[in-house]
Amino acid sequence: MTSSPPQITMPSHDKSEVVGLEAQSEPCTADQPQAFRRLRSLVQLIASRTHLEFAFLLIALAWGIAQVFLVPPLQVPDEGDHWFRAWAMTDGQLTADRQGMVTLPASFAPAADLYMRLIAVHGLPLSLEGQAGFSGYEDLFNSPGPAGTIKVVSRVASYGPLGYVPQAVGVGLGRLVGAAPLTCFYLARLANLLAAAALLFFAIRLAPFGKQLFAFVALLPMTMFELASVSCDALTISGAIFFTALLLWASRRPTLRRVDVAVVLAASALVLNVKPGYWALVLLLLLIRPAQTGGRVRHLAFVAGNALVV
């Protein structure tokens, strides 16, 4: 004969007491203003329907344009060297000469002398205010100076011309309409920002996963600081991020079309040749399998072609 299991009787609670406990456990929304709840719902709706790359672009352009004009000229690391290269590009000097020098208008002498002197002594100071030979950015950039040209040593002579194309476009547009050198400087910053932001936009759009991480890195303060400058580091950083996202995207495709192969080749040739050292990112091609390119022979040709352009 089996005995039935013991019956456990829980203490009963008053119904009103239970209702009170449930009311305490729920978030109190009745006290929130109706307008606040509507605003929160609107924000959540917009966030759910907005692609991350567009949100990045909006933030990057607003933040970047502000920095273009708030950060004083030549205050980004090595910005003077990059500025001289960008201007020289508009005169047809794609690289420095054999002595590692670029030819500039003689009116650049005050800026070049001040910049090189400060760099040689203790690096660029936090501010040019109060430095010997500095009386204001208008005088430093826009003084007419004597006729002729000067030669300035380039400390970025080993960098190729690709990293200065956006800046040169900005300077060229300014010179085309007769803008002063200081105005051309800000146009160079703006063009650099737009080019880098566009690369990062497509990087986030292409990334098959980790889009939030790509956007986070792209919006780091140091990243934005470089993007809003004349430095070729803007294209170096954005190009490296774009190439990484592109190869991750390509690695997820069952097969690579001819246009896909052409895009990867173009990216290797352009964004990996901005600054020495970043060629190593071409190793990301190991993510591509021979089956994606149509066999081992085509795969070998694909890898060799990318290595060649780099």
Side-chain angles (χ1 to χ4, degrees), residues 51-65 67 193 196-201 203-204 210-228 234 237-238 241:
H51 292 286
L52 184 60
E53 59 269 25
F54 289 100
F56 157 77
L57 192 62
L58 180 64
I59 297 172
L61 290 180
W63 187 5
I65 292 173
Q67 288 204 100
L193 171 66
L199 280 174
L200 292 170
F201 170 87
I204 298 170
K211 292 180 182 289
Q212 295 87 349
L213 179 59
F214 279 90
F216 173 76
V217 174
L219 289 173
L220 285 172
M222 183 53 71
T223 305
M224 293 303 305
F225 186 62
E226 295 288 351
L227 261 58
I237 297 169
S238 58
I241 294 175

Side-chain angles (χ1 to χ4, degrees), residues 178-251:
L182 184 57
T183 303
C184 293
F185 178 89
Y186 285 113
L187 289 174
R189 277 186 172 183
L190 281 173
N192 208 22
L193 171 66
L194 293 176
L199 280 174
L200 292 170
F201 170 87
F202 287 109
I204 298 170
R205 191 176 184 88
L206 284 173
F209 56 87
K211 292 180 182 289
Q212 295 87 349
L213 179 59
F214 279 90
F216 173 76
V217 174
L219 289 173
L220 285 172
M222 183 53 71
T223 305
M224 293 303 305
F225 186 62
E226 295 288 351
L227 261 58
S229 73
V230 184
S231 173
C232 69
D233 288 338
L235 284 191
T236 302
I237 297 169
S238 58
I241 294 175
F242 172 78
F243 190 80
T244 302
L246 177 65
L247 266 293
L248 290 175
W249 170 83
S251 69

Side-chain angles (χ1 to χ4, degrees), residues 19 47 61 117 122 196 205 241 251 258 266 289:
V19 173
L61 290 180
R117 175 167 52 82
H122 45 65
R205 191 176 184 88
I241 294 175
S251 69
R258 290 182 179 179
R289 303 177 302 278

